[in-house]
Amino acid sequence: MSEPLIVAEDLEVHFPVRGGVFQRQIGTVKAVAGVNLAINRGETVGLVGESGCGKSTLGRALVRLLEPTSGTITFDGQDMTSVSGSNLKTFRRRVQIVFQDPYSSLDPRTQIGNSIAEGLRLHGMKDKDQRDARVNEMLELVGMPKSAAQRYPHEFSGGQRQRVGLARALVLKPDFVVADEPVSALDVSVQAQVLNLLKELQSELELTLLFVAHNLAVVEHMSDRVAVMYLGRVAEISDREALYRNPLHPYTEALLSAIPMPDPDRPRNRQILQGEVPSPIDPPEGCYFHPRCPIAVVGVCDTDVPTLLPAPAGDADHLAACHVRTGELASPRTIT
């Protein structure tokens, strides 16, 4: 197995909540609440979960667009949590992000070629001819004509803008890319094109990828491993096939049961979660999922925080944060 390229240990990202006349801090949003995640070189890890669970925040923290409140980020064996100056600039060259909205992620007053070349200029490529040659190379790589460099964002469709976003992220030849829901703002007819392009580029450029998405079918298509987040914590992580075939965490089971089936006659066991997602300002004690969990055990799940562990006699690399499924309370079950 490849060695990890980027590792998050006990990573937390909190945001202050302010109110009142003097805008004093009255609470804290725990957007990421103690995440441990290692991504190996050359692999794609899919990150899924409900809206507001902290997926995008985690991705942005890994590339230091957001500063962690606590915990560490190790990249290529070096602690990048508190680096600054030239070391941070070098780190930023090796990690990039593709944003969710291709409309707002590009400056409407800047030509496409200049947007793509900006990173090259900031990282020391002073020769304009060299920058232009690299921009043309990247446009060709993502299936855009060279003439696109002289045009403005409003002249392109959503899918074309996202291709430009890919070119801008890849122009510095990074090692690690966070794709933050890169197709959610696109028409369905365009999504497959962008996804297949991203997969081809990952193979061609040997990228390590964190793929953030809501669509579980898309994640299955793109990922080698899948991590499921709930309220700022990783609930389950496993090889793609193992997770989709035999999920351990009740939350993962509920998510998978909601995937649309192309065969209307195929029997389904749809699991409807009761209640609302708790507030990240005041999360519940113990397992964050226990107020909505159909198998929660009073006195355990509502008091003790579960850790990521394998199921008894299960795959050692298939981990879930569930007292019932991985601890002393584990019992046989049937997944439909």
Side-chain angles (χ1 to χ4, degrees), residues 99-307:
F99 294 99
Q100 175 179 355
D101 187 357
Y103 297 89
S104 62
S105 61
L106 294 171
D107 186 343
R109 299 182 180 182
T110 302
Q111 290 178 324
I112 291 301
N114 292 334
S115 289
I116 297 173
E118 182 69 7
L120 296 172
R121 186 184 64 80
L122 291 174
H123 286 272
M125 187 178 286
K126 303 301 182 184
D127 189 291
K128 186 177 185 304
D129 290 338
Q130 287 185 341
R131 293 201 303 269
D132 290 344
R134 180 72 68 81
V135 168
N136 289 337
E137 176 189 343
M138 295 311 303
L139 285 172
E140 184 177 357
L141 190 65
V142 299
M144 297 283 287
K146 294 179 182 179
S147 60
Q150 281 73 50
R151 296 164 64 186
Y152 290 87
H154 72 272
E155 300 180 63
F156 297 98
S157 67
Q160 290 173 320
R161 285 193 185 103
Q162 198 60 289
R163 287 172 182 264
V164 172
L166 283 171
R168 185 177 59 177
L170 300 177
V171 71
L172 289 169
K173 298 183 178 179
D175 300 302
F176 175 63
V177 174
V178 174
D180 185 9
E181 302 199 39
V183 297
S184 63
L186 305 180
D187 292 337
V188 175
S189 59
V190 181
Q191 289 183 7
Q193 298 175 19
V194 175
L195 289 171
N196 289 332
L197 171 63
L198 185 58
K199 197 153 186 162
E200 290 171 8
L201 292 175
Q202 188 207 13
S203 176
E204 183 175 341
L205 303 176
E206 298 180 345
L207 296 173
T208 302
L209 193 65
L210 179 67
F211 187 84
V212 180
H214 282 100
N215 191 321
L216 287 162
V218 168
V219 170
E220 184 178 16
H221 171 70
M222 291 291 299
S223 307
D224 300 306
R225 287 191 298 144
V226 179
V228 180
M229 280 192 74
Y230 183 80
L231 210 63
R233 292 176 176 171
V234 174
E236 184 169 358
I237 183 167
S238 171
D239 171 82
R240 174 194 62 206
E241 293 183 2
L243 185 136
Y244 279 76
R245 182 181 66 253
N246 187 34
L248 292 176
H249 200 284
Y251 177 60
T252 308
E253 292 177 354
L255 289 180
L256 293 179
S257 75
I259 298 177
M261 295 293 182
D263 183 359
D265 297 324
R266 181 176 175 180
R268 299 189 62 185
N269 183 22
R270 180 69 188 273
Q271 299 182 29
I272 307 297
L273 294 176
Q274 303 299 317
E276 299 293 330
V277 179
S279 169
I281 300 176
D282 185 25
E285 296 291 328
C287 174
Y288 282 0
F289 186 62
H290 86 262
R292 307 171 72 194
C293 182
I295 60 171
V297 176
V298 177
V300 178
C301 299
D302 55 352
T303 57
D304 301 333
V305 177
T307 56

Side-chain angles (χ1 to χ4, degrees), residues 48-69:
V48 300
E50 293 171 287
S51 296
C53 72
K55 305 184 300 298
S56 295
T57 302
L58 174 60
R60 294 181 183 217
L62 289 177
V63 298
R64 289 286 304 275
L65 284 181
L66 294 174
E67 293 300 320
T69 304

